[in-house]
Amino acid sequence: MTAPHARRLVAGMVGGGLGADIGRTHRHAMQLDDLFELQAGVFGRNPQASAEFAAKLGVPEDRVYSDFREMAEREAARPDAVDVVVVATPNDSHFEIARAFLEAGISVVCEKPLTQDSETAAELVRIAGERNAVLAVPHCYSAYAMVRHAARMARDGKLGTILFVDVEHASGWAATPLELSGHKQAKWRTNPDIAGFPSVVGDLGTHAYHLLRYITGLEAVRLSGRLQTLVPGRRVFDHSTVELELTGNVPARLWAGMAATGHNHGLRIRVYGSEGSFEWQHEDPHHLKVQDLAGATTVLTHGLSTLSDDATRLTRVGLGHPEGFLEAFANFYRDLAEVLRARRDGTPVPERDLSFPTGVDGLIGVQFVEAVAASHDNDSAWTVPGSATALTQSASLSQ
Ligand SMILES: NC(=O)c1ccc[n+]([C@@H]2O[C@H](COP(=O)([O-])OP(=O)(O)OC[C@H]3O[C@@H](n4cnc5c(N)ncnc54)[C@H](O)[C@@H]3O)[C@@H](O)[C@H]2O)c1
């Protein structure tokens, strides 16, 4: 008989049907360390297509449901209920779906942005707490080994005092009006009802903002945001620039753009301290460029024996081999599995200050979107994230 601690965790999924983007990444990532098995789901709104796709994935027929409500109810009633459900649907449905599972006491991985406003995001955080369920948000860039090492260096004061942070998530994927050509993901990301007017902030800005917080350990005290639409006729904002004041009066700058012509997936962070600086880029994720006061550059590489334990425990391949996004997602699932397994098996949960982003990080991301939109509406006035009112009428393209 398999020891309980070695049993795979049982996962379910809502969304991630045929041709969907991120659901597939979640499935691969969950398998990489063989910690999870996908056993239940609703793979799209069309029950017939969902059932056909589930069969291809090897999901048992009796655990393919017609909608998420039925899935939450029936899974919660099973003695072998799923340990976790991944919500990989477009943004407007995250809240209802995540709430249904959390209320049933089932842990949830919910895609970003967690919800469309901070009231509902806070409600999910509250329900997860009340129902003793884990709520995780896959800001998976924070799971790269070299990002973990950077976070360790910043926390251990290796840069001295942090003086300035510059982060950008500038992608060129929507530099043309793709939405007019029927592109599936562009269609909902440029629909304000699904993605919100500050779409680019929810989509890319929340990743950049989380990376900034995760690496530096600093929080935004206030921010000044500006939203623009670079592609004529687009119904949402596709370009955002944000000036921030972080804990301890540390200034920071964030640029999130989906119309950054020619950029592939330009996520980059640079942190400047009193004794040195470092730079990490998603398109070269296994390197961390560190510079000292004299300007000498050291390139730290994933796999080096001198890296921190935070990086080494998430390293699968030897020195010189590249690490990929899939592995960063897998690292997210490895951290999540550690917590879910301990809860399932009644063993102690390891204490780590660098682990997976939770619902609170998701809520902070949604508050960030609201604060940028509110600041923009108010002539880019300094705004305190979390104090803005719900985003109902606030951001409009006419401004
Ligand atoms: N963490 C990341 O790096 C990352 C990357 C890409 C996308 N995302 C997020 O993932 C989510 C999905 O994005 P995508 O690009 O994969 O979208 P997509 O349009 O490619 O896929 C969405 C899937 O959800 C299904 N769906 C929609 N409503 C449903 C419902 N009510 N019940 C069941 N299934 C439903 C669709 O049929 C489709 O299969 C978004 O919130 C997005 O912001 C995160």
Short mmCIF file of all heavy atoms in Angstrom, two decimals, residues 14-23 26 42-45 67-68 87-91 93-94 97 111-113 138-141 184-185 188-189 202-203 207 325 329, ligand 1:
data_model
loop_
_atom_site.label_atom_id
_atom_site.label_comp_id
_atom_site.label_asym_id
_atom_site.label_seq_id
_atom_site.Cartn_x
_atom_site.Cartn_y
_atom_site.Cartn_z
N VAL A 14 -11.37 23.97 -13.46
CA VAL A 14 -12.49 24.62 -14.13
C VAL A 14 -11.89 25.56 -15.17
O VAL A 14 -11.07 26.42 -14.83
CB VAL A 14 -13.39 25.40 -13.15
CG1 VAL A 14 -14.55 26.04 -13.90
CG2 VAL A 14 -13.92 24.47 -12.06
N GLY A 15 -12.26 25.37 -16.43
CA GLY A 15 -11.63 26.10 -17.54
C GLY A 15 -10.56 25.20 -18.15
O GLY A 15 -10.53 23.99 -17.92
N GLY A 16 -9.67 25.84 -18.93
CA GLY A 16 -8.55 25.07 -19.49
C GLY A 16 -9.00 24.03 -20.50
O GLY A 16 -8.39 22.96 -20.60
N GLY A 17 -10.04 24.32 -21.27
CA GLY A 17 -10.52 23.38 -22.30
C GLY A 17 -9.62 23.36 -23.52
O GLY A 17 -8.53 23.97 -23.54
N LEU A 18 -10.09 22.69 -24.56
CA LEU A 18 -9.31 22.56 -25.79
C LEU A 18 -8.95 23.94 -26.34
O LEU A 18 -9.83 24.79 -26.52
CB LEU A 18 -10.14 21.78 -26.83
CG LEU A 18 -9.44 21.45 -28.14
CD1 LEU A 18 -8.30 20.47 -27.90
CD2 LEU A 18 -10.42 20.87 -29.14
N GLY A 19 -7.66 24.18 -26.58
CA GLY A 19 -7.22 25.46 -27.15
C GLY A 19 -7.05 26.55 -26.12
O GLY A 19 -6.59 27.64 -26.46
N ALA A 20 -7.40 26.30 -24.88
CA ALA A 20 -7.22 27.33 -23.85
C ALA A 20 -5.74 27.45 -23.53
O ALA A 20 -4.97 26.49 -23.68
CB ALA A 20 -8.00 26.97 -22.59
N ASP A 21 -5.35 28.62 -23.08
CA ASP A 21 -3.93 28.91 -22.92
C ASP A 21 -3.35 28.34 -21.62
O ASP A 21 -2.61 27.36 -21.61
CB ASP A 21 -3.75 30.44 -23.00
CG ASP A 21 -2.30 30.85 -22.82
OD1 ASP A 21 -1.42 30.01 -23.04
OD2 ASP A 21 -2.06 32.02 -22.47
N ILE A 22 -3.75 28.93 -20.49
CA ILE A 22 -2.97 28.65 -19.27
C ILE A 22 -3.35 27.33 -18.59
O ILE A 22 -2.56 26.78 -17.82
CB ILE A 22 -3.06 29.85 -18.29
CG1 ILE A 22 -1.82 29.92 -17.40
CG2 ILE A 22 -4.33 29.82 -17.47
CD1 ILE A 22 -0.54 30.24 -18.14
N GLY A 23 -4.56 26.83 -18.86
CA GLY A 23 -4.95 25.54 -18.25
C GLY A 23 -3.94 24.45 -18.59
O GLY A 23 -3.58 23.62 -17.74
N HIS A 26 -0.87 24.70 -16.45
CA HIS A 26 -1.14 24.15 -15.11
C HIS A 26 -1.05 22.63 -15.12
O HIS A 26 -0.47 22.03 -14.21
CB HIS A 26 -2.54 24.56 -14.64
CG HIS A 26 -2.63 25.96 -14.13
ND1 HIS A 26 -2.45 26.30 -12.81
CD2 HIS A 26 -2.88 27.13 -14.76
CE1 HIS A 26 -2.59 27.60 -12.65
NE2 HIS A 26 -2.86 28.14 -13.83
N VAL A 42 -14.46 20.76 -15.13
CA VAL A 42 -15.41 21.34 -16.09
C VAL A 42 -14.52 22.09 -17.07
O VAL A 42 -13.99 23.15 -16.75
CB VAL A 42 -16.37 22.35 -15.41
CG1 VAL A 42 -17.39 22.87 -16.41
CG2 VAL A 42 -17.05 21.76 -14.20
N PHE A 43 -14.31 21.52 -18.26
CA PHE A 43 -13.32 22.07 -19.18
C PHE A 43 -13.97 22.93 -20.25
O PHE A 43 -13.84 22.67 -21.44
CB PHE A 43 -12.49 20.93 -19.78
CG PHE A 43 -11.81 20.09 -18.73
CD1 PHE A 43 -12.41 18.93 -18.25
CD2 PHE A 43 -10.60 20.49 -18.19
CE1 PHE A 43 -11.80 18.18 -17.26
CE2 PHE A 43 -9.98 19.75 -17.20
CZ PHE A 43 -10.60 18.58 -16.74
N GLY A 44 -14.71 23.94 -19.81
CA GLY A 44 -15.39 24.85 -20.74
C GLY A 44 -16.88 24.90 -20.44
O GLY A 44 -17.40 24.10 -19.64
N ARG A 45 -17.54 25.84 -21.11
CA ARG A 45 -18.98 26.04 -20.84
C ARG A 45 -19.84 25.04 -21.59
O ARG A 45 -21.01 24.85 -21.24
CB ARG A 45 -19.39 27.45 -21.27
CG ARG A 45 -18.84 28.53 -20.35
CD ARG A 45 -19.25 29.90 -20.92
NE ARG A 45 -18.54 30.98 -20.27
CZ ARG A 45 -18.96 31.60 -19.17
NH1 ARG A 45 -20.08 31.24 -18.58
NH2 ARG A 45 -18.26 32.58 -18.66
N ASP A 67 -21.34 21.88 -14.68
CA ASP A 67 -20.87 23.24 -14.34
C ASP A 67 -20.17 23.21 -12.97
O ASP A 67 -20.18 22.20 -12.28
CB ASP A 67 -22.01 24.26 -14.37
CG ASP A 67 -23.07 24.00 -13.33
OD1 ASP A 67 -22.73 23.62 -12.20
OD2 ASP A 67 -24.27 24.16 -13.66
N PHE A 68 -19.57 24.34 -12.62
CA PHE A 68 -18.73 24.37 -11.42
C PHE A 68 -19.55 24.20 -10.14
O PHE A 68 -19.05 23.66 -9.15
CB PHE A 68 -17.90 25.67 -11.38
CG PHE A 68 -18.70 26.92 -11.14
CD1 PHE A 68 -19.00 27.35 -9.87
CD2 PHE A 68 -19.15 27.69 -12.22
CE1 PHE A 68 -19.73 28.51 -9.65
CE2 PHE A 68 -19.88 28.85 -12.01
CZ PHE A 68 -20.18 29.26 -10.72
N VAL A 87 -8.75 27.21 -10.96
CA VAL A 87 -9.70 28.04 -11.71
C VAL A 87 -8.92 28.75 -12.81
O VAL A 87 -8.12 29.66 -12.54
CB VAL A 87 -10.41 29.06 -10.78
CG1 VAL A 87 -11.39 29.90 -11.57
CG2 VAL A 87 -11.10 28.34 -9.63
N ALA A 88 -9.11 28.31 -14.05
CA ALA A 88 -8.34 28.85 -15.20
C ALA A 88 -9.30 29.35 -16.26
O ALA A 88 -9.16 29.04 -17.44
CB ALA A 88 -7.42 27.77 -15.75
N THR A 89 -10.28 30.13 -15.82
CA THR A 89 -11.27 30.73 -16.73
C THR A 89 -10.95 32.22 -16.87
O THR A 89 -10.17 32.76 -16.08
CB THR A 89 -12.69 30.59 -16.14
OG1 THR A 89 -12.69 31.23 -14.85
CG2 THR A 89 -13.08 29.12 -15.97
N PRO A 90 -11.56 32.92 -17.84
CA PRO A 90 -11.36 34.38 -17.90
C PRO A 90 -11.81 35.08 -16.61
O PRO A 90 -12.61 34.53 -15.82
CB PRO A 90 -12.21 34.78 -19.11
CG PRO A 90 -12.19 33.55 -19.98
CD PRO A 90 -12.28 32.41 -19.01
N ASN A 91 -11.31 36.29 -16.43
CA ASN A 91 -11.38 36.99 -15.15
C ASN A 91 -12.77 37.15 -14.54
O ASN A 91 -12.92 37.11 -13.32
CB ASN A 91 -10.77 38.39 -15.30
CG ASN A 91 -9.41 38.36 -15.94
OD1 ASN A 91 -8.87 37.30 -16.22
ND2 ASN A 91 -8.84 39.53 -16.21
N SER A 93 -15.27 35.32 -14.22
CA SER A 93 -15.91 34.19 -13.53
C SER A 93 -15.10 33.69 -12.34
O SER A 93 -15.54 32.80 -11.61
CB SER A 93 -16.15 33.04 -14.52
OG SER A 93 -14.96 32.72 -15.21
N HIS A 94 -13.91 34.26 -12.08
CA HIS A 94 -13.07 33.75 -10.99
C HIS A 94 -13.80 33.74 -9.65
O HIS A 94 -13.74 32.77 -8.91
CB HIS A 94 -11.81 34.61 -10.84
CG HIS A 94 -10.84 34.49 -11.97
ND1 HIS A 94 -9.67 35.23 -12.05
CD2 HIS A 94 -10.84 33.72 -13.10
CE1 HIS A 94 -9.02 34.92 -13.15
NE2 HIS A 94 -9.71 34.02 -13.81
N ILE A 97 -16.69 31.10 -9.14
CA ILE A 97 -16.18 29.72 -9.17
C ILE A 97 -15.34 29.45 -7.92
O ILE A 97 -15.55 28.45 -7.21
CB ILE A 97 -15.36 29.46 -10.46
CG1 ILE A 97 -16.24 29.65 -11.69
CG2 ILE A 97 -14.77 28.06 -10.44
CD1 ILE A 97 -15.51 29.60 -13.04
N GLU A 111 -6.57 31.78 -10.86
CA GLU A 111 -5.75 32.61 -11.74
C GLU A 111 -5.88 34.09 -11.38
O GLU A 111 -6.83 34.51 -10.74
CB GLU A 111 -6.12 32.37 -13.21
CG GLU A 111 -5.24 31.34 -13.88
CD GLU A 111 -3.75 31.73 -13.84
OE1 GLU A 111 -3.42 32.87 -13.49
OE2 GLU A 111 -2.92 30.86 -14.15
N LYS A 112 -4.92 34.85 -11.82
CA LYS A 112 -4.92 36.29 -11.60
C LYS A 112 -5.63 36.99 -12.76
O LYS A 112 -5.69 36.41 -13.84
CB LYS A 112 -3.50 36.81 -11.42
CG LYS A 112 -2.56 36.53 -12.62
CD LYS A 112 -2.72 37.46 -13.78
CE LYS A 112 -2.59 36.84 -15.09
NZ LYS A 112 -2.84 37.53 -16.28
N PRO A 113 -6.15 38.22 -12.58
CA PRO A 113 -6.35 38.86 -11.29
C PRO A 113 -7.40 38.09 -10.51
O PRO A 113 -8.37 37.61 -11.09
CB PRO A 113 -6.84 40.26 -11.65
CG PRO A 113 -7.46 40.11 -13.01
CD PRO A 113 -6.70 39.03 -13.69
N PRO A 138 -1.42 31.93 -8.87
CA PRO A 138 -0.18 31.59 -9.56
C PRO A 138 0.54 32.77 -10.24
O PRO A 138 0.62 32.84 -11.46
CB PRO A 138 -0.61 30.54 -10.58
CG PRO A 138 -2.05 30.82 -10.83
CD PRO A 138 -2.61 31.46 -9.60
N HIS A 139 1.07 33.65 -9.40
CA HIS A 139 2.04 34.63 -9.91
C HIS A 139 3.37 33.87 -9.98
O HIS A 139 4.25 34.04 -9.12
CB HIS A 139 2.16 35.82 -8.95
CG HIS A 139 0.97 36.73 -8.97
ND1 HIS A 139 0.55 37.36 -10.12
CD2 HIS A 139 0.11 37.12 -8.00
CE1 HIS A 139 -0.51 38.11 -9.86
NE2 HIS A 139 -0.80 37.97 -8.58
N CYS A 140 3.47 33.00 -10.99
CA CYS A 140 4.53 31.97 -10.97
C CYS A 140 5.92 32.48 -11.29
O CYS A 140 6.89 31.74 -11.13
CB CYS A 140 4.15 30.81 -11.88
SG CYS A 140 2.87 29.86 -11.07
N TYR A 141 6.01 33.74 -11.72
CA TYR A 141 7.35 34.27 -11.96
C TYR A 141 8.14 34.28 -10.64
O TYR A 141 9.36 34.20 -10.65
CB TYR A 141 7.27 35.68 -12.56
CG TYR A 141 6.47 35.68 -13.85
CD1 TYR A 141 5.14 36.10 -13.87
CD2 TYR A 141 7.04 35.20 -15.02
CE1 TYR A 141 4.40 36.06 -15.03
CE2 TYR A 141 6.30 35.17 -16.20
CZ TYR A 141 4.98 35.60 -16.20
OH TYR A 141 4.26 35.55 -17.36
N LYS A 184 -8.91 34.52 -29.77
CA LYS A 184 -9.72 34.16 -28.61
C LYS A 184 -9.34 34.91 -27.33
O LYS A 184 -10.17 35.53 -26.66
CB LYS A 184 -9.55 32.64 -28.39
CG LYS A 184 -10.53 32.02 -27.47
CD LYS A 184 -10.31 30.51 -27.42
CE LYS A 184 -11.01 29.92 -26.23
NZ LYS A 184 -10.32 28.80 -25.65
N GLN A 185 -8.04 34.88 -27.01
CA GLN A 185 -7.61 35.51 -25.75
C GLN A 185 -7.69 37.04 -25.85
O GLN A 185 -8.03 37.71 -24.87
CB GLN A 185 -6.18 35.08 -25.39
CG GLN A 185 -6.09 33.66 -24.81
CD GLN A 185 -6.01 32.59 -25.88
OE1 GLN A 185 -5.75 32.88 -27.04
NE2 GLN A 185 -6.28 31.34 -25.50
N TRP A 188 -11.43 38.46 -25.14
CA TRP A 188 -11.92 38.74 -23.78
C TRP A 188 -11.04 39.73 -23.03
O TRP A 188 -11.51 40.48 -22.19
CB TRP A 188 -12.20 37.45 -23.01
CG TRP A 188 -11.04 36.61 -22.55
CD1 TRP A 188 -10.62 35.44 -23.09
CD2 TRP A 188 -10.18 36.84 -21.43
NE1 TRP A 188 -9.55 34.92 -22.39
CE2 TRP A 188 -9.26 35.77 -21.35
CE3 TRP A 188 -10.08 37.85 -20.46
CZ2 TRP A 188 -8.28 35.68 -20.39
CZ3 TRP A 188 -9.10 37.76 -19.49
CH2 TRP A 188 -8.21 36.68 -19.46
N ARG A 189 -9.72 39.76 -23.38
CA ARG A 189 -8.84 40.69 -22.67
C ARG A 189 -9.09 42.14 -23.06
O ARG A 189 -8.63 43.05 -22.37
CB ARG A 189 -7.37 40.32 -22.91
CG ARG A 189 -6.91 39.17 -22.02
CD ARG A 189 -5.44 38.86 -22.27
NE ARG A 189 -4.86 37.95 -21.31
CZ ARG A 189 -4.90 36.62 -21.40
NH1 ARG A 189 -5.52 36.04 -22.39
NH2 ARG A 189 -4.33 35.86 -20.48
N GLY A 202 -4.54 44.52 -14.71
CA GLY A 202 -4.95 43.23 -14.16
C GLY A 202 -4.17 42.08 -14.77
O GLY A 202 -3.80 41.12 -14.10
N ASP A 203 -3.91 42.19 -16.07
CA ASP A 203 -3.30 41.08 -16.79
C ASP A 203 -1.79 41.00 -16.56
O ASP A 203 -1.27 39.95 -16.19
CB ASP A 203 -3.59 41.25 -18.30
CG ASP A 203 -3.52 39.94 -19.04
OD1 ASP A 203 -3.95 38.92 -18.47
OD2 ASP A 203 -3.04 39.91 -20.18
N HIS A 207 1.27 40.92 -12.21
CA HIS A 207 2.47 40.07 -12.15
C HIS A 207 3.70 40.92 -11.76
O HIS A 207 4.49 40.52 -10.91
CB HIS A 207 2.76 39.43 -13.52
CG HIS A 207 1.97 38.17 -13.79
ND1 HIS A 207 1.82 37.17 -12.86
CD2 HIS A 207 1.32 37.74 -14.91
CE1 HIS A 207 1.11 36.18 -13.38
NE2 HIS A 207 0.78 36.51 -14.62
N PHE A 325 9.66 28.48 -17.91
CA PHE A 325 8.43 28.96 -17.26
C PHE A 325 7.64 27.81 -16.67
O PHE A 325 7.06 27.91 -15.59
CB PHE A 325 7.61 29.68 -18.33
CG PHE A 325 6.37 30.35 -17.81
CD1 PHE A 325 6.41 31.15 -16.68
CD2 PHE A 325 5.17 30.20 -18.46
CE1 PHE A 325 5.27 31.78 -16.21
CE2 PHE A 325 4.02 30.83 -18.01
CZ PHE A 325 4.08 31.62 -16.88
N PHE A 329 6.19 27.32 -12.90
CA PHE A 329 4.83 26.90 -12.52
C PHE A 329 4.91 25.65 -11.66
O PHE A 329 4.18 25.49 -10.68
CB PHE A 329 3.99 26.64 -13.77
CG PHE A 329 2.92 27.66 -14.00
CD1 PHE A 329 3.21 28.86 -14.63
CD2 PHE A 329 1.61 27.45 -13.60
CE1 PHE A 329 2.23 29.82 -14.85
CE2 PHE A 329 0.62 28.40 -13.80
CZ PHE A 329 0.94 29.59 -14.44
N1 LIG B 1 -0.48 33.08 -14.31
C1 LIG B 1 -0.18 33.35 -15.57
O1 LIG B 1 0.98 33.51 -15.93
C2 LIG B 1 -1.29 33.48 -16.58
C3 LIG B 1 -1.02 33.41 -17.96
C4 LIG B 1 -2.10 33.45 -18.88
C5 LIG B 1 -3.40 33.61 -18.39
N2 LIG B 1 -3.63 33.73 -17.05
C6 LIG B 1 -5.01 33.90 -16.53
O2 LIG B 1 -5.69 32.65 -16.73
C7 LIG B 1 -7.07 32.89 -16.99
C8 LIG B 1 -7.45 32.21 -18.31
O3 LIG B 1 -6.71 32.79 -19.35
P1 LIG B 1 -6.47 32.02 -20.74
O4 LIG B 1 -5.60 32.90 -21.54
O5 LIG B 1 -6.07 30.62 -20.47
O6 LIG B 1 -7.95 32.05 -21.33
P2 LIG B 1 -8.55 31.14 -22.50
O7 LIG B 1 -9.62 31.95 -23.12
O8 LIG B 1 -7.46 30.60 -23.36
O9 LIG B 1 -9.19 29.88 -21.72
C9 LIG B 1 -10.29 30.00 -20.84
C10 LIG B 1 -10.95 28.64 -20.68
O10 LIG B 1 -12.00 28.74 -19.70
C11 LIG B 1 -13.20 28.13 -20.21
N3 LIG B 1 -14.33 28.70 -19.49
C12 LIG B 1 -14.80 29.97 -19.55
N4 LIG B 1 -15.83 30.12 -18.68
C13 LIG B 1 -16.01 28.92 -18.07
C14 LIG B 1 -16.89 28.44 -17.07
N5 LIG B 1 -17.82 29.22 -16.53
N6 LIG B 1 -16.78 27.14 -16.67
C15 LIG B 1 -15.84 26.34 -17.21
N7 LIG B 1 -14.95 26.74 -18.15
C16 LIG B 1 -15.04 28.02 -18.57
C17 LIG B 1 -13.12 28.40 -21.69
O11 LIG B 1 -13.98 27.51 -22.42
C18 LIG B 1 -11.65 28.13 -21.96
O12 LIG B 1 -11.42 26.72 -22.08
C19 LIG B 1 -7.25 34.42 -17.03
O13 LIG B 1 -7.75 34.86 -15.80
C20 LIG B 1 -5.83 34.95 -17.23
O14 LIG B 1 -5.64 36.22 -16.65
C21 LIG B 1 -2.60 33.66 -16.16
#
